[in-house]
Amino acid sequence: MHTARIIVHGRVQGVGYRAFVADEAERLGARGWVRNRADGTVEALVGGGTDLVEAMVAACRRGPRMAEVTRIDVLPADGEPLPEGFDHIRAMF
């Protein structure tokens, strides 16, 4: 299992970004979570096979139609605990 922490910058809150990430994760079979951060970014922890994690990173770069992704940071997070499925309810304020 490969795990990555993804921080997404730009207009990514209030545009359905978390739901988009959760839908992509469910479609691909990823484990993890996604949440809004107080600084206006969105953070996701995504785990699965290498190809799956790369597909999730690509989806995060694209985002939903109303989002404007200006930058994405991908950090290794192997060893961090993951839920069995994917949680998009978390918010960090």
Side-chain angles (χ1 to χ4, degrees):
M1 166 111 25
H2 178 63
T3 307
R5 181 175 305 280
I6 305 166
I7 310 294
V8 187
H9 303 260
R11 188 166 61 106
V12 293
Q13 290 190 16
V15 294
Y17 196 92
R18 285 182 299 145
F20 169 84
V21 172
D23 288 346
E24 287 293 306
E26 185 175 318
R27 183 179 70 77
L28 295 169
R31 292 173 58 187
W33 48 259
V34 62
R35 65 184 172 193
N36 288 339
R37 294 175 20 148
D39 65 0
T41 61
V42 169
E43 175 182 18
L45 186 69
V46 177
T50 301
D51 290 344
L52 183 149
V53 172
E54 288 176 3
M56 284 299 300
V57 169
C60 287
R61 283 191 206 292
R62 188 175 65 249
R65 185 175 43 125
M66 298 299 291
E68 292 179 22
V69 176
T70 59
R71 188 175 101 218
I72 186 169
D73 302 324
V74 181
L75 309 166
D78 292 336
E80 290 202 36
L82 292 167
E84 286 301 314
F86 202 87
D87 180 7
H88 72 285
I89 307 303
R90 295 181 181 217
M92 188 169 136
F93 290 104

